Amino acid sequence: MRAPQVALLWHGDRETRDTVNLDEHRLGPTAAAMRAAGLEPQPAVYNDDFADEVRDQLLKVDAVQVWVNPINDQGGTRGVLDAMLKEVANAGVLVSAHPDTIQKMGTKTVVYDTRGMGWGSDVHLYQSMEEMRLQLPERLRQGARVLKQHRGHSGQGIWKVSPTSDPAMVVVRHAPRGNTEQEMLLDQWIESCAGYFAEGPMLDQEFQPRIVDGMIRCYLNVDRIGGFGHQEVNALVPDKDSGPRLYYPPAEPRFQAIRRKMEDEWLPELLSTLGMSLDELPLLWDADFMHGQVEGSYVLCEINVSSVYPYPESAMAPLAQAVKAKLMAPESS
């Protein structure tokens, strides 16, 4: 019997698709873990320009693991890709993460949907600029807020908005690396958000002062922790550049408290809150947490599903085993 074929899909151009050597690519270690599990990985470089070609490739494999950001370097979205992945999944190919799963748990809206959970915080959702214009000024009287677009990555569309002594003025800072604080009219900043609402609602979350203590990222293979990432400073903290994210295996002693909370408490509650089954969880995903103001508490920042990379080496073999287990499950045979 042939080994199950697993496509590793990422965004690229025609030249990359035609010339890539998977073993020399950044996903080479992931491919090696797949082979060690008895799977046969293959590269599947994707671009809207040759979507049909990639679809034909995916229809011939058993599974596809996807690494494509919500917004690519050219400003394009995943619209064409997501429609194609749904078609491939309907044909019986295992797709992780399925676009429907991304919509349920992989957008900023999940922070609002799960606000009542143990990781919850003071969050609100604006469906339109008019809602934001009416409600944001009152919330700013209580302190700084963080506004986030519906889907994005690398800090795109994430803003810290701080009040000033003049209610008409705010200090804003865009999260992507290299941006600085600017003072401007609140109405002017709200108008600048028009493009975000074209893609969905905007999330409004109370600024967490302990962001200066760093972010903890829990990497999961389905429902088990595969490793951790820790980033010591954050782009929304003035006068500090984002530091590197350091990676740790699941047994790292410093993160056992959050590991127990994630696996034993929050994950079952997440599934119940979102109306999801365990079977719908991605094979690879992560959740970012800030330290809460109460010692030992954590606040959800976001859940990443679309393109979880880089990720710890400790999660590579579990990812391969999760693919294999899924393909060997009775419903996959």
Side-chain angles (χ1 to χ4, degrees):
M1 295 179 61
R2 70 173 179 87
Q5 305 289 299
V6 182
L8 308 184
L9 187 149
W10 70 92
H11 189 269
D13 56 21
R14 165 55 65 184
E15 181 181 2
T16 302
R17 180 170 175 83
D18 290 344
T19 63
V20 67
N21 181 329
L22 185 54
D23 291 331
E24 297 176 355
H25 187 262
R26 66 181 189 178
L27 291 176
T30 300
M34 296 277 183
R35 293 190 192 99
L39 306 170
E40 185 53 49
Q42 59 180 255
V45 179
Y46 174 84
N47 195 293
D48 287 355
D49 292 341
F50 41 83
D52 289 345
E53 180 181 331
V54 180
R55 179 195 60 207
D56 292 343
Q57 176 188 2
L58 299 186
L59 288 172
K60 298 174 184 176
V61 303
D62 301 286
V64 52
Q65 175 66 44
V66 182
W67 287 272
V68 176
N69 284 317
I71 303 170
N72 63 40
D73 293 340
Q74 290 74 46
T77 69
R78 284 183 43 141
V80 175
L81 172 62
D82 285 347
M84 185 266 283
L85 290 175
K86 289 183 181 182
E87 178 185 349
V88 169
N90 288 338
V93 178
L94 171 63
V95 174
S96 183
H98 193 286
D100 291 345
T101 293
I102 294 174
Q103 286 299 320
K104 290 179 180 179
M105 62 181 290
T107 72
K108 301 302 188 291
T109 305
V110 73
V111 181
Y112 177 79
D113 292 339
T114 63
R115 64 195 183 281
M117 289 177 46
W119 66 31
S121 59
D122 176 16
V123 294
H124 303 272
L125 206 63
Y126 301 132
Q127 299 291 344
S128 66
M129 287 178 61
E130 288 70 26
E131 272 191 26
M132 188 160 70
R133 189 175 287 110
L134 288 171
Q135 299 176 24
L136 180 56
E138 180 63 30
R139 295 188 177 115
L140 284 170
R141 292 191 180 98
Q142 308 304 314
R145 313 292 300 185
V146 177
L147 281 294
K148 308 177 183 182
Q149 68 170 322
H150 183 58
R151 294 184 73 176
H153 64 94
S154 305
Q156 297 177 64
I158 298 178
W159 294 82
K160 180 185 177 185
V161 183
S162 303
T164 68
S165 58
D166 180 354
M169 301 294 294
V170 290
V171 174
V172 299
R173 184 184 180 103
H174 199 194
R177 191 183 299 268
N179 286 287
T180 58
E181 291 188 338
Q182 305 174 57
E183 186 169 337
M184 62 191 303
L185 288 167
L186 175 58
D187 282 346
Q188 180 183 354
W189 179 80
I190 291 175
E191 287 295 327
S192 74
C193 294
Y196 298 145
F197 285 101
E199 298 298 327
M202 285 194 72
L203 183 86
D204 173 354
Q205 184 173 28
E206 179 184 22
F207 178 73
Q208 299 295 320
R210 289 197 62 194
I211 191 68
V212 296
D213 296 327
M215 297 268 288
I216 301 171
R217 175 168 287 184
C218 296
Y219 293 88
L220 290 100
N221 300 114
V222 189
D223 60 342
R224 299 289 96 182
I225 295 287
F228 297 97
H230 185 247
Q231 190 163 5
E232 294 190 357
V233 295
N234 183 272
L236 293 180
V237 180
D239 304 321
K240 289 186 179 180
D241 293 327
S242 293
R245 181 175 288 112
L246 304 177
Y247 298 95
Y248 302 91
E252 171 61 33
R254 287 182 295 164
F255 304 128
Q256 292 313 294
I258 195 170
R259 179 183 183 181
R260 289 191 294 271
K261 286 179 179 290
M262 188 72 205
E263 292 184 345
D264 300 338
E265 300 176 28
W266 293 337
L267 186 54
E269 194 174 2
L270 173 68
L271 294 175
S272 175
T273 300
L274 300 183
M276 293 177 60
S277 67
L278 185 65
D279 192 57
E280 292 179 88
L281 284 174
L283 304 181
L284 176 66
W285 58 289
D286 69 63
D288 283 350
F289 293 96
M290 301 167 282
H291 291 277
Q293 297 190 52
V294 175
E295 190 63 34
S297 66
Y298 303 93
V299 174
L300 179 68
C301 177
E302 64 181 0
I303 291 177
N304 302 294
V305 177
S306 300
S307 182
V308 181
Y309 190 89
Y311 66 102
E313 183 179 355
S314 59
M316 293 179 183
L319 171 60
Q321 291 298 330
V323 174
K324 187 174 182 178
K326 193 83 166 177
L327 291 174
M328 293 179 64
E331 62 269 21
S332 299
S333 59

